[in-house]
Amino acid sequence: MKRSYIYILFLFWVSSSCQNNIAIDNIQDIPKFAKEDQTLANVFKILDGRWKGKFLIFEDKNLVPKDQLDLENISLSSLQKMDLKQINSIDVEQMYSSETPYFQRVTITDFYPDTGQKISSKGVNKIQNGQMWCVVKKPDETVMHKGSTEDNNTIIWQRNEKDPQKIEYFKETVSQQFYEIIGWGYYQGDDPKLSPRLWFYSKYERQSED
């Protein structure tokens, strides 16, 4: 009887360990809840629903030393003060659905008016081992951002990859009706000692489900 009890405990430990070892880029399986996740419960809940808007991409050709800009405290007004040139506009529709307080699925449809191209992607926002992650599976790549909260309605998403270079910072602020994204990025060939060459802005509106 004692051996059976120990064996059952062992199987439970193995099962729990396997669940906790889910890869970050796994968007199918829901990670096992951990105590350190509790403080972030429902952090994505306000995003649930359908959103539509334009994602705008700007280029800055007047680069300055990086330390001349505050790259964390960015806003629409700070972008408007810069001499940026819009180089692309993407029509975006996003659907968010929370399955637990720590796991939210997302479907993204990007439409490029200039080429007529439509790209559909699937992903998740999730809390895993006390950390926030946004993982999106695009047709040609998997994009992973690590997150943090600035306040109750603002999430900061970042990634820093070296080969090829992809350094990104996005500030996302959500209200009941609007979802605003402001960010910047360095990519292959960009000098990270200078200010970012590419900047991003979008404001999505919540859609009625009628």
Side-chain angles (χ1 to χ4, degrees), residues 26 29 45 62 67 82 104 111 130-131 143 145 161 167 179:
N26 182 337
D29 301 314
K45 183 69 176 176
N62 302 309
D67 58 8
M82 302 171 65
Q104 181 183 66
F111 177 73
Q131 296 180 331
V143 180
H145 289 90
E161 301 173 10
I167 305 171
Y179 170 25

PDB file of all heavy atoms in Angstrom, residues 26 29 45 62 67 82 104 111 130-131 143 145 161 167 179:
ATOM      1  N   ASN A  26       4.930  27.116 -27.569  1.00  0.00           N
ATOM      2  CA  ASN A  26       3.799  26.201 -27.687  1.00  0.00           C
ATOM      3  C   ASN A  26       2.507  26.979 -27.467  1.00  0.00           C
ATOM      4  O   ASN A  26       2.257  27.481 -26.372  1.00  0.00           O
ATOM      5  CB  ASN A  26       3.939  25.082 -26.652  1.00  0.00           C
ATOM      6  CG  ASN A  26       2.828  24.043 -26.733  1.00  0.00           C
ATOM      7  OD1 ASN A  26       1.741  24.297 -27.238  1.00  0.00           O
ATOM      8  ND2 ASN A  26       3.116  22.859 -26.219  1.00  0.00           N
ATOM      9  N   ASP A  29      -0.972  24.035 -25.920  1.00  0.00           N
ATOM     10  CA  ASP A  29      -1.186  23.529 -24.566  1.00  0.00           C
ATOM     11  C   ASP A  29      -1.154  24.653 -23.534  1.00  0.00           C
ATOM     12  O   ASP A  29      -0.305  25.552 -23.607  1.00  0.00           O
ATOM     13  CB  ASP A  29      -0.117  22.488 -24.223  1.00  0.00           C
ATOM     14  CG  ASP A  29      -0.130  21.321 -25.199  1.00  0.00           C
ATOM     15  OD1 ASP A  29      -1.236  20.823 -25.497  1.00  0.00           O
ATOM     16  OD2 ASP A  29       0.948  20.928 -25.684  1.00  0.00           O
ATOM     17  N   LYS A  45      -7.584  40.027 -19.733  1.00  0.00           N
ATOM     18  CA  LYS A  45      -9.042  39.906 -19.851  1.00  0.00           C
ATOM     19  C   LYS A  45      -9.675  41.073 -20.593  1.00  0.00           C
ATOM     20  O   LYS A  45     -10.615  40.888 -21.386  1.00  0.00           O
ATOM     21  CB  LYS A  45      -9.655  39.790 -18.450  1.00  0.00           C
ATOM     22  CG  LYS A  45     -11.158  39.578 -18.425  1.00  0.00           C
ATOM     23  CD  LYS A  45     -11.524  38.218 -18.958  1.00  0.00           C
ATOM     24  CE  LYS A  45     -13.023  37.974 -18.847  1.00  0.00           C
ATOM     25  NZ  LYS A  45     -13.419  36.673 -19.444  1.00  0.00           N
ATOM     26  N   ASN A  62      16.315  60.731 -39.770  1.00  0.00           N
ATOM     27  CA  ASN A  62      17.168  61.674 -39.035  1.00  0.00           C
ATOM     28  C   ASN A  62      17.569  61.053 -37.695  1.00  0.00           C
ATOM     29  O   ASN A  62      17.126  61.488 -36.631  1.00  0.00           O
ATOM     30  CB  ASN A  62      16.429  63.001 -38.828  1.00  0.00           C
ATOM     31  CG  ASN A  62      16.010  63.633 -40.145  1.00  0.00           C
ATOM     32  OD1 ASN A  62      16.825  63.779 -41.049  1.00  0.00           O
ATOM     33  ND2 ASN A  62      14.747  63.993 -40.253  1.00  0.00           N
ATOM     34  N   ASP A  67      20.900  57.781 -26.709  1.00  0.00           N
ATOM     35  CA  ASP A  67      20.685  58.363 -25.382  1.00  0.00           C
ATOM     36  C   ASP A  67      20.029  59.743 -25.427  1.00  0.00           C
ATOM     37  O   ASP A  67      19.721  60.316 -24.388  1.00  0.00           O
ATOM     38  CB  ASP A  67      22.001  58.416 -24.595  1.00  0.00           C
ATOM     39  CG  ASP A  67      23.088  59.209 -25.298  1.00  0.00           C
ATOM     40  OD1 ASP A  67      22.799  59.858 -26.324  1.00  0.00           O
ATOM     41  OD2 ASP A  67      24.241  59.179 -24.814  1.00  0.00           O
ATOM     42  N   MET A  82       8.338  64.149 -33.977  1.00  0.00           N
ATOM     43  CA  MET A  82       9.449  63.654 -34.774  1.00  0.00           C
ATOM     44  C   MET A  82       9.140  63.798 -36.261  1.00  0.00           C
ATOM     45  O   MET A  82       7.984  63.830 -36.676  1.00  0.00           O
ATOM     46  CB  MET A  82       9.729  62.186 -34.434  1.00  0.00           C
ATOM     47  CG  MET A  82      10.047  61.944 -32.969  1.00  0.00           C
ATOM     48  SD  MET A  82      10.117  60.192 -32.532  1.00  0.00           S
ATOM     49  CE  MET A  82      11.529  59.666 -33.508  1.00  0.00           C
ATOM     50  N   GLN A 104      -4.830  33.222 -23.011  1.00  0.00           N
ATOM     51  CA  GLN A 104      -5.758  33.871 -23.936  1.00  0.00           C
ATOM     52  C   GLN A 104      -5.339  33.565 -25.379  1.00  0.00           C
ATOM     53  O   GLN A 104      -4.180  33.747 -25.752  1.00  0.00           O
ATOM     54  CB  GLN A 104      -5.745  35.383 -23.702  1.00  0.00           C
ATOM     55  CG  GLN A 104      -6.691  36.185 -24.581  1.00  0.00           C
ATOM     56  CD  GLN A 104      -6.537  37.677 -24.312  1.00  0.00           C
ATOM     57  OE1 GLN A 104      -5.480  38.243 -24.595  1.00  0.00           O
ATOM     58  NE2 GLN A 104      -7.564  38.301 -23.758  1.00  0.00           N
ATOM     59  N   PHE A 111      -4.314  42.829 -43.474  1.00  0.00           N
ATOM     60  CA  PHE A 111      -4.573  43.078 -44.895  1.00  0.00           C
ATOM     61  C   PHE A 111      -3.743  44.259 -45.352  1.00  0.00           C
ATOM     62  O   PHE A 111      -3.777  45.332 -44.752  1.00  0.00           O
ATOM     63  CB  PHE A 111      -6.063  43.355 -45.143  1.00  0.00           C
ATOM     64  CG  PHE A 111      -6.375  43.679 -46.579  1.00  0.00           C
ATOM     65  CD1 PHE A 111      -6.358  42.684 -47.546  1.00  0.00           C
ATOM     66  CD2 PHE A 111      -6.660  44.979 -46.960  1.00  0.00           C
ATOM     67  CE1 PHE A 111      -6.624  42.978 -48.882  1.00  0.00           C
ATOM     68  CE2 PHE A 111      -6.933  45.297 -48.293  1.00  0.00           C
ATOM     69  CZ  PHE A 111      -6.924  44.284 -49.251  1.00  0.00           C
ATOM     70  N   GLY A 130       5.249  32.582 -13.956  1.00  0.00           N
ATOM     71  CA  GLY A 130       5.292  33.935 -13.419  1.00  0.00           C
ATOM     72  C   GLY A 130       5.687  35.012 -14.405  1.00  0.00           C
ATOM     73  O   GLY A 130       5.880  36.162 -14.011  1.00  0.00           O
ATOM     74  N   GLN A 131       5.776  34.679 -15.699  1.00  0.00           N
ATOM     75  CA  GLN A 131       6.178  35.648 -16.707  1.00  0.00           C
ATOM     76  C   GLN A 131       5.106  35.773 -17.793  1.00  0.00           C
ATOM     77  O   GLN A 131       4.399  34.811 -18.096  1.00  0.00           O
ATOM     78  CB  GLN A 131       7.517  35.241 -17.337  1.00  0.00           C
ATOM     79  CG  GLN A 131       8.668  35.243 -16.351  1.00  0.00           C
ATOM     80  CD  GLN A 131       9.985  34.846 -17.000  1.00  0.00           C
ATOM     81  OE1 GLN A 131      10.026  34.097 -17.969  1.00  0.00           O
ATOM     82  NE2 GLN A 131      11.084  35.355 -16.463  1.00  0.00           N
ATOM     83  N   VAL A 143       6.793  34.722 -33.623  1.00  0.00           N
ATOM     84  CA  VAL A 143       7.207  35.956 -32.955  1.00  0.00           C
ATOM     85  C   VAL A 143       6.886  35.838 -31.464  1.00  0.00           C
ATOM     86  O   VAL A 143       5.740  35.581 -31.094  1.00  0.00           O
ATOM     87  CB  VAL A 143       6.498  37.185 -33.554  1.00  0.00           C
ATOM     88  CG1 VAL A 143       6.954  38.454 -32.848  1.00  0.00           C
ATOM     89  CG2 VAL A 143       6.761  37.276 -35.056  1.00  0.00           C
ATOM     90  N   HIS A 145       7.275  37.796 -27.689  1.00  0.00           N
ATOM     91  CA  HIS A 145       7.589  38.981 -26.895  1.00  0.00           C
ATOM     92  C   HIS A 145       7.380  38.674 -25.419  1.00  0.00           C
ATOM     93  O   HIS A 145       6.398  38.018 -25.054  1.00  0.00           O
ATOM     94  CB  HIS A 145       6.703  40.162 -27.284  1.00  0.00           C
ATOM     95  CG  HIS A 145       7.017  40.749 -28.619  1.00  0.00           C
ATOM     96  ND1 HIS A 145       6.410  40.316 -29.783  1.00  0.00           N
ATOM     97  CD2 HIS A 145       7.876  41.732 -28.988  1.00  0.00           C
ATOM     98  CE1 HIS A 145       6.872  41.021 -30.811  1.00  0.00           C
ATOM     99  NE2 HIS A 145       7.763  41.883 -30.347  1.00  0.00           N
ATOM    100  N   GLU A 161      16.444  39.923 -30.211  1.00  0.00           N
ATOM    101  CA  GLU A 161      17.048  38.798 -30.909  1.00  0.00           C
ATOM    102  C   GLU A 161      18.235  39.299 -31.724  1.00  0.00           C
ATOM    103  O   GLU A 161      18.187  40.390 -32.301  1.00  0.00           O
ATOM    104  CB  GLU A 161      16.013  38.118 -31.801  1.00  0.00           C
ATOM    105  CG  GLU A 161      14.806  37.610 -31.027  1.00  0.00           C
ATOM    106  CD  GLU A 161      13.701  37.089 -31.923  1.00  0.00           C
ATOM    107  OE1 GLU A 161      13.937  36.948 -33.152  1.00  0.00           O
ATOM    108  OE2 GLU A 161      12.598  36.827 -31.411  1.00  0.00           O
ATOM    109  N   ILE A 167      15.016  43.890 -32.463  1.00  0.00           N
ATOM    110  CA  ILE A 167      14.846  44.498 -31.145  1.00  0.00           C
ATOM    111  C   ILE A 167      13.583  45.347 -31.209  1.00  0.00           C
ATOM    112  O   ILE A 167      13.489  46.274 -32.021  1.00  0.00           O
ATOM    113  CB  ILE A 167      16.055  45.374 -30.766  1.00  0.00           C
ATOM    114  CG1 ILE A 167      17.362  44.573 -30.853  1.00  0.00           C
ATOM    115  CG2 ILE A 167      15.883  45.962 -29.368  1.00  0.00           C
ATOM    116  CD1 ILE A 167      18.611  45.424 -30.716  1.00  0.00           C
ATOM    117  N   TYR A 179      -7.864  50.429 -28.223  1.00  0.00           N
ATOM    118  CA  TYR A 179      -6.661  49.637 -27.960  1.00  0.00           C
ATOM    119  C   TYR A 179      -5.535  50.303 -28.751  1.00  0.00           C
ATOM    120  O   TYR A 179      -5.506  50.244 -29.974  1.00  0.00           O
ATOM    121  CB  TYR A 179      -6.937  48.205 -28.411  1.00  0.00           C
ATOM    122  CG  TYR A 179      -5.802  47.236 -28.470  1.00  0.00           C
ATOM    123  CD1 TYR A 179      -4.653  47.370 -27.713  1.00  0.00           C
ATOM    124  CD2 TYR A 179      -5.894  46.113 -29.304  1.00  0.00           C
ATOM    125  CE1 TYR A 179      -3.637  46.439 -27.791  1.00  0.00           C
ATOM    126  CE2 TYR A 179      -4.897  45.181 -29.393  1.00  0.00           C
ATOM    127  CZ  TYR A 179      -3.763  45.350 -28.631  1.00  0.00           C
ATOM    128  OH  TYR A 179      -2.757  44.424 -28.710  1.00  0.00           O
TER     129      TYR A 179
END
